[in-house]
Amino acid sequence: MSRAAHPLKILMVTPRYFPDMGGTEMHVHEVGRRLAQSGIDVTLLTTIPHQHAQSVPPEEDVEGMHIFRIPAWPKHYDLYLAPALRAFIKQGHWDLIHIQGCHTFFPPLAMLTARATKTPYVVTFHSGGHSSHVRMQLRNVQWTLLRPLLAHAEKLIGVSHFETQYFRDVLHFSEKRFAVIPNGFSHPDVPCPLQSKPATNTQIISVGRLERYKGHHHLITALPKIREQYPDATLLILGTGPYEETLRTLAQQAGVADYVTIRSIPANNRQEMMTQLSQASLITLLSEYESQGIAIMEALALKRPVLVSDTSALREYAEKKLVRMVSLQSTPEEIAAAVIEQLHHPLIPGNLELPTWDDCANQLKTLYQTTVKNHVYAVR
């Protein structure tokens, strides 16, 4: 029987997966399980999370996906050097390798191995910010060094028009090398509030990993001024990460520790996340950089007003008049004024057509099939 008669055998390569939390992890989980349920043979290769090393198995099946975790070093830094990656890829017979992300040592090693085994590969950038200004300053150097490997990818995928244009400008590749396949969102299984503000206290939610570049601190320093207009206002920060103690200290210094809560919701529990977001008076994402912003789509689906920073892909939502935005160069008083305006006169869009995870998975499946077909013809 010919190879074409078998299900496509896809290897997804990502440095992080659940129980780690983030946009890339969410993307891999949501599209991976849908692709597996659609008849594609999906294997996911990732690393053993050091903080969960004793609680996650090295191998498991998750909703049709075959998950394999390998060690990576150093333990407490996000470089993800994983020598076992090369041997794992070589021992499989993959129709296509989908490399998720481009920031660590994991993706270039996967691309090098794919080239060595003559396996076609595609790359989804999943670009993001970083709390280290040095790392951010080196980004363009990093992309330049990766350019020869990215040049051999069958397709380069951005999750937003902003991200795709950014890499077109940096890499100087033709438009046909790129595809825009947006992330999706989880359909809410909770009722959308009918009023512009839920009946409980004025709750502001700031969503994102606890890193400085995610901008949670802007809400903390603005909260005293916000409470002058809304004395019942509280701030809920949803996320995990190394910046937590700094945020708690900042809340103490600002005199609002009693009104700031920091907690996390398991990454794969979207129902709890949607329930929490549905209770918000305002949802914020004042990040320095976002390639798309999944939480924003979930907030919009719940008809919650949103305030974002005037940066990166977040600007696309404001240009479509879906959210309001504020400059990150604003003072705490100016950020408080933007929050108060969105609380007092909330912008809540009407009927929306937002991309879903089903849309994302279907577009990827079509891309896989086309890429593998073209590769087979090319080597004949």
Side-chain angles (χ1 to χ4, degrees):
M1 186 177 293
S2 68
R3 180 73 173 163
H6 292 279
L8 280 180
K9 191 174 181 183
I10 303 297
L11 175 66
M12 284 193 185
V13 176
T14 180
R16 289 162 45 104
Y17 178 64
F18 292 167
D20 286 331
M21 185 171 70
T24 305
E25 295 88 327
M26 178 64 60
H27 171 97
V28 169
H29 177 75
E30 295 292 348
V31 302
R33 64 192 183 97
R34 284 170 169 81
L35 290 167
Q37 291 160 8
S38 76
I40 290 180
D41 185 347
V42 178
T43 298
L44 175 61
L45 178 63
T46 187
T47 64
I48 299 171
H50 296 292
Q51 64 272 38
H52 305 291
Q54 304 304 315
S55 60
V56 297
E59 299 179 24
E60 64 176 329
D61 284 347
V62 176
E63 298 192 57
M65 294 186 292
H66 317 297
I67 313 294
F68 291 86
R69 295 182 174 90
I70 57 177
W73 290 272
K75 288 186 176 181
H76 303 294
Y77 206 61
D78 59 344
L79 297 180
Y80 294 98
L81 289 161
L85 181 149
R86 189 173 179 85
F88 185 93
I89 292 178
K90 284 187 170 182
Q91 75 183 12
H93 299 282
W94 318 104
D95 291 308
L96 180 72
I97 298 175
H98 188 170
I99 296 162
Q100 303 275 9
C102 56
H103 294 92
T104 69
F105 284 106
F106 217 63
L109 183 55
M111 286 186 269
L112 283 167
T113 309
R115 289 206 64 198
T117 57
K118 295 181 170 54
T119 308
Y121 60 93
V122 299
V123 179
T124 298
F125 293 113
H126 295 298
S127 57
H130 201 281
S131 295
S132 167
H133 290 294
V134 174
R135 288 280 288 272
M136 289 302 294
Q137 291 292 327
L138 292 174
R139 283 290 197 231
N140 282 358
V141 176
Q142 183 180 3
W143 308 145
T144 301
L145 293 174
L146 280 178
R147 189 180 189 279
L149 290 172
L150 294 171
H152 288 278
E154 303 292 326
K155 192 68 75 173
L156 300 170
I157 305 168
V159 298
S160 65
H161 292 285
F162 160 81
E163 184 180 56
T164 304
Q165 188 61 51
Y166 169 79
F167 279 101
R168 279 191 63 198
D169 293 341
V170 170
L171 299 171
H172 304 292
F173 290 154
S174 67
E175 185 177 0
K176 67 181 181 181
R177 302 295 315 283
F178 294 86
V180 179
I181 301 181
N183 287 319
F185 75 99
S186 301
H187 278 290
D189 291 327
V190 295
C192 295
L194 296 178
Q195 65 271 36
S196 61
K197 174 183 173 216
T200 57
N201 68 307
T202 303
Q203 185 182 68
I204 302 162
I205 296 182
S206 182
V207 184
R209 181 167 166 76
L210 305 186
E211 298 269 6
R212 191 184 189 284
Y213 83 92
K214 288 292 188 178
H216 302 295
H217 57 286
H218 295 298
L219 277 305
I220 292 176
T221 56
L223 190 57
K225 281 291 182 182
I226 296 169
R227 285 181 54 82
E228 289 179 8
Q229 295 290 323
Y230 288 87
D232 65 343
T234 60
L235 174 62
L236 171 61
I237 299 174
L238 293 176
T240 62
Y243 204 50
E244 180 173 349
E245 286 307 311
T246 302
L247 292 172
R248 293 189 184 280
T249 299
L250 183 61
Q252 289 279 359
Q253 294 171 345
V256 292
D258 290 343
Y259 313 112
V260 176
T261 301
I262 302 175
R263 72 181 186 89
S264 64
I265 292 175
N268 58 350
N269 191 343
R270 301 317 292 171
Q271 181 59 42
E272 183 179 349
M273 175 62 84
M274 298 295 270
T275 299
Q276 187 65 71
L277 293 180
S278 73
Q279 298 168 11
S281 304
L282 175 65
I283 294 166
T284 65
L285 183 53
L286 302 188
S287 176
E288 294 175 10
Y289 183 98
E290 293 292 327
S291 59
Q292 187 184 27
I294 296 171
I296 300 305
M297 291 192 291
E298 293 178 336
L300 292 172
L302 289 163
K303 300 190 181 302
R304 295 293 80 221
V306 178
L307 180 70
V308 302
S309 52
D310 182 9
T311 61
S312 53
L314 298 177
R315 193 175 291 123
E316 292 183 9
Y317 293 105
E319 289 171 349
K320 295 176 182 177
K321 302 189 184 307
L322 302 177
V323 304
R324 289 199 174 104
M325 63 183 180
V326 63
S327 169
L328 286 182
Q329 280 65 56
S330 302
T331 64
E333 291 76 17
E334 290 169 334
I335 289 177
V339 168
I340 290 167
E341 174 64 19
Q342 187 66 318
L343 287 170
H344 195 59
H345 301 290
L347 171 62
I348 301 178
N351 295 328
L352 298 172
E353 291 188 6
L354 298 170
T356 67
W357 288 118
D358 287 339
D359 297 330
C360 184
N362 289 335
Q363 290 181 68
L364 283 174
K365 184 175 182 178
T366 299
L367 186 146
Y368 292 167
Q369 291 169 333
T370 302
T371 301
V372 171
K373 181 180 178 181
N374 291 343
H375 181 77
V376 169
Y377 283 139
V379 299
R380 282 181 178 174

